Amino acid sequence: MQGDVYSRAGNAADPPSLYPAYRSTSLRAPLSAPIPIPQTLSEITGPLYGQADVMPEEADLTRQHGGEPLGERIVVHGRVLDEAGRPVPDTLIEIWQCNAAGRYRHEVDQHPAPLDPNFTGAGRVVTDTEGRYRITTIKPGAYPWRNHPNAWRPAHIHFSLFGPSFLTRLVTQMYFPGDPLFAFDPIFNSVPDPQVRERMVCHFDLDATEPEWALAYAFDFVLRGPAATPGDPDNA
Ligand SMILES: [Fe+2]
């Protein structure tokens, strides 16, 4: 069936929707097995999510205010690929993240770290004909959360990918190499296979750094297949 080409259902890389160590999944996880709904023309042909309206400056989170945000300026770049390694163009990539001090500009985040008046923490970009994207931002900090005593999230950037239809969505988190918090993070560890977890960790990319300006990290998204990028446990 044509619609099945878009499905991520049964993606072996995805974490389970219920992972008790990640406490809130106990509240959100479905109690019954999902019911497959046949994909029809209305699901696989639309709507598009704003691909046409994305401005180039939206891919630079360091240029959204009058001054420059504090923190370590970085470039994150890579490609969106299908299960055969083919590039996926025209994918809307949205990101959100905390600032360098580990705080989100969101009313729910009230932990005692400073907000940065020059950093909102949201941006977007559309992949080009080669499936490539490139974002300039600030390296996010670790932050505490109340999942369990002394719980801290490793530094991460949230990503949402929208393809050509309503169903073509991947929501995931990207981590940075060598983070000492990996071993203690239930969200990272909700992906059971350690080798699959590594697919959520970007790679330092010296060739893509901008001398005197920014370090760079490479991160590819694989939408399906044996090398698929794991989804976020909230959205997998
Ligand atoms: Fe987060």
Side-chain angles (χ1 to χ4, degrees), residues 32-176:
S32 305
I35 300 169
I37 298 174
Q39 297 169 12
T40 63
L41 210 58
S42 60
E43 284 86 29
I44 63 176
T45 58
L48 290 174
Y49 278 92
Q51 275 90 334
D53 302 324
V54 177
M55 307 298 287
E57 55 267 31
E58 292 184 75
D60 189 343
L61 282 70
T62 70
R63 301 275 184 203
Q64 296 177 342
H65 297 273
E68 291 205 69
L70 296 174
E72 182 184 342
R73 190 185 300 112
I74 59 170
V75 169
V76 180
H77 77 107
R79 291 196 298 165
V80 178
L81 304 167
D82 71 9
E83 69 273 29
R86 293 174 295 222
V88 183
D90 299 322
T91 300
L92 174 65
I93 299 180
E94 299 169 290
I95 77 165
W96 62 100
Q97 63 169 95
C98 63
N99 66 24
R103 185 156 171 196
Y104 285 97
R105 182 174 290 278
H106 190 282
E107 61 184 10
V108 171
D109 189 347
Q110 297 292 331
H111 97 271
L115 286 170
D116 186 336
N118 292 313
F119 192 71
T120 301
R124 55 186 195 156
V125 65
V126 177
T127 57
D128 67 12
T129 54
E130 300 292 315
R132 296 185 188 283
Y133 74 94
R134 188 175 189 281
I135 287 166
T136 303
T137 186
I138 295 294
K139 191 172 182 185
Y143 60 80
W145 60 316
R146 293 176 176 163
N147 183 73
H148 57 273
N150 199 22
W152 292 80
R153 295 295 330 279
H156 60 276
I157 296 177
H158 296 266
F159 281 85
S160 163
L161 277 62
F162 260 121
S165 90
F166 192 78
L167 295 178
T168 49
R169 191 165 192 218
L170 168 65
V171 178
T172 190
Q173 299 182 29
M174 183 201 86
Y175 300 85
F176 292 87

